[in-house]
Every structure is written in structure tokens, then in C-alpha cells.
Amino acid sequence: FGTALNAARGVALQVSNAINSFVTNFIQAMNPQIIKYYAQGELDTMQQLVIKGCKYSFFLLLILSMPIIIEAEYILTLWLKHPPTYSIIFCRLIMISALMDTLSGVVGYGALATGKIKIYQIVMSLVFISVPILTYIAYCIGLPSYSCIVAEMFSYAIALFMRPYLTSRITTFSISKYLHNNILPCMCVVIMTLPIPIVVHAYMPYGFIRLITVCIICVFSTCLSIWLVGIDTPERKIIVQYIQNKYRK
């Protein structure tokens, strides 16, 4: 694929890193609290924090990345005038793979808090080492250039279940609660959020007005979906109380 592939991946990674920096800071801020709860023996509280950390980091990244995924072509053209070949598909796939990673990323901190990380690190290293191997095989059999990102997405799909499974082996982490309180609401939010921005993108004329419209609709529909199906009643009460307190001040 030559230099075009390197240029496309470089552009896509710049976009992804700019967005992911917000979520990375959010996740890293939770790590000391997770370790604290484990050290105090508050394993149920630690589990709740881990699950909510996965869910909230996914929601935050979804709000930031969805307009970019949908309007990648116009954004890259506006930024670079003539974006490298493959850069649009690379940008979209890298953002999707980042979303997949956040679904289980915080779970790893729960395992690391125990200090019993030998098996966890070996297994997860093998999962991610498979990416260049799968990429090499894909290129050898003539698959498209973006197969490297698909291989990365495959590794994150495995990590989605391996991280909670390995963590449950060394702590009291509940896989059923992880699926019910994290994966299910996140998938419901995505399903509810996608249709309207996609329809607007499909029927509005290409241009800056469509970009602004899609961005506004993405943020509004994502926030509304999070409020309706992404969070539970106690979480809604906390948000309402926080807003009321801010308003009174």
C-alpha cells in the first residue's frame, strides 16, 4: 500500500488521540479511587465504580466521536483539503475501535488493584500481540488496507469479555452485573442515537451546514438516549440534584 497507508493511519491517529485524551484523563482519575476501595476491602463499591467508569467513559467518547465518525469525509477535507487515500475509513474504524476499548478499559484497573496480575497480563498481552499477526495474514491473502484496524477491533472484542472474566477470577467482580449495567445500556444508547443523525447525513446536502446540523443532533440525541436508557433512576436523581445546586448558587 506504500506511503498512502502510513499517511492515512497517521491522520486517523491524530484525530483519535485528540478525542481520546479527554477520556484517558477521565479514566486515569478513577484509578486511585479503585485502588483505595480494594485496599479498604470495599469490593462491592469498587465493582460499582469500575462498571460506572466503563459506562461513563463510553458515553463521553460517544458524544465526542459520533459526529466525527459520521462526518469524517467533510471534516478531513475541511482540515487537509485533499486527505490521504484510506484516511476516511481509517478514521472511522479507529474511533469505533476506541469505543470498543472503553467498554472494558476500566475493568483492567480493577484487576491491577489486586496486585495479582501475572495471569491477567499474560493473557491480555497475547490478545493484543495477535493484532500484528492477524494483520500480516490479512495482507498476505489480499484483504484491504484497513484490515489492520479490523484486527485491532477483533482484539478489543475479545478483551471486552476477557478483562471481566480474568478480573472475576481474582476478585468478586460480577460478569452478569458488568453485562447488565454496562454493556446493555451502552448498546441501547447507540441503537437509539444512530438513526436520526444518519438520516440527516444521508438527505442533507454535503457541506458546512450539514456538519453543524449533524453535530448538534448527535450531541442532543446521545444525551437524550443516555438520560432515557443509559443511566438508572438514582443516577438521574444525582444529576438533577447537582444541577439544582448549581442553579441555586
Side-chain angles (χ1 to χ4, degrees):
F1 302 103
T3 56
L5 178 61
N6 292 331
R9 185 174 177 84
V11 169
L13 286 174
Q14 282 188 18
V15 175
S16 177
N17 291 339
I19 299 299
N20 283 336
S21 61
F22 295 98
V23 180
T24 301
N25 293 334
F26 173 77
I27 293 174
Q28 288 179 346
M30 304 182 69
N31 188 33
Q33 199 66 32
I34 292 172
I35 296 173
K36 177 184 175 181
Y37 284 138
Y38 179 81
Q40 294 175 343
E42 301 178 33
L43 299 184
D44 289 340
T45 306
M46 184 195 80
Q47 176 178 276
Q48 291 177 14
L49 181 60
V50 167
I51 291 174
K52 288 182 179 180
C54 290
K55 185 169 69 171
Y56 295 158
S57 59
F58 179 84
F59 290 158
L60 177 59
L61 184 59
L62 184 65
I63 292 171
L64 296 171
S65 65
M66 184 169 289
I68 296 174
I69 293 171
I70 295 175
E71 284 288 349
E73 181 179 358
Y74 183 78
I75 291 172
L76 292 180
T77 303
L78 189 66
W79 176 29
L80 301 172
K81 301 296 182 184
H82 302 288
T85 309
Y86 313 121
S87 60
I88 296 169
I89 184 67
F90 267 64
C91 185
R92 285 172 172 159
L93 291 179
I94 285 177
M95 295 307 303
I96 293 171
S97 68
L99 284 167
M100 294 174 66
D101 186 33
T102 57
L103 279 171
S104 63
V106 183
V107 177
Y109 288 107
L112 296 176
T114 68
K116 305 171 186 176
I117 60 174
K118 180 179 178 181
I119 300 299
Y120 178 89
Q121 292 286 38
I122 291 173
V123 174
M124 295 312 301
S125 295
L126 290 174
V127 169
F128 293 119
I129 286 173
S130 68
V131 174
I133 298 172
L134 292 174
T135 301
Y136 178 78
I137 294 171
Y139 288 160
C140 284
I141 61 178
L143 292 181
S145 60
Y146 53 81
S147 299
C148 57
I149 311 299
V150 175
E152 187 176 323
M153 293 169 66
F154 178 74
S155 71
Y156 287 139
I158 296 175
L160 191 63
F161 300 100
M162 289 304 301
R163 281 170 174 159
Y165 172 73
L166 294 171
T167 303
S168 69
R169 297 290 300 271
I170 53 179
T171 68
T172 57
F173 190 82
S174 171
I175 297 177
S176 61
K177 288 182 179 179
Y178 164 78
L179 295 173
H180 184 266
N181 297 331
N182 176 39
I183 301 300
L184 181 60
C186 288
M187 293 301 99
C188 289
V189 167
V190 171
I191 292 170
M192 285 187 63
T193 300
L194 278 176
I196 297 178
I198 289 178
V199 170
V200 171
H201 177 266
Y203 288 96
M204 277 192 71
Y206 179 87
F208 186 74
I209 300 299
R210 188 183 72 177
L211 171 65
I212 299 300
T213 305
V214 168
C215 289
I216 293 172
I217 291 175
C218 281
V219 172
F220 177 78
S221 60
T222 304
C223 291
L224 180 62
S225 300
I226 291 170
W227 181 261
L228 293 176
V229 299
I231 57 178
D232 54 27
T233 302
E235 290 170 325
R236 291 192 197 99
K237 288 181 179 178
I238 292 172
I239 295 172
V240 170
Q241 186 177 4
Y242 177 81
I243 294 173
Q244 288 175 343
N245 292 336
K246 285 289 185 181
Y247 179 75
R248 286 169 187 167
K249 291 180 181 179

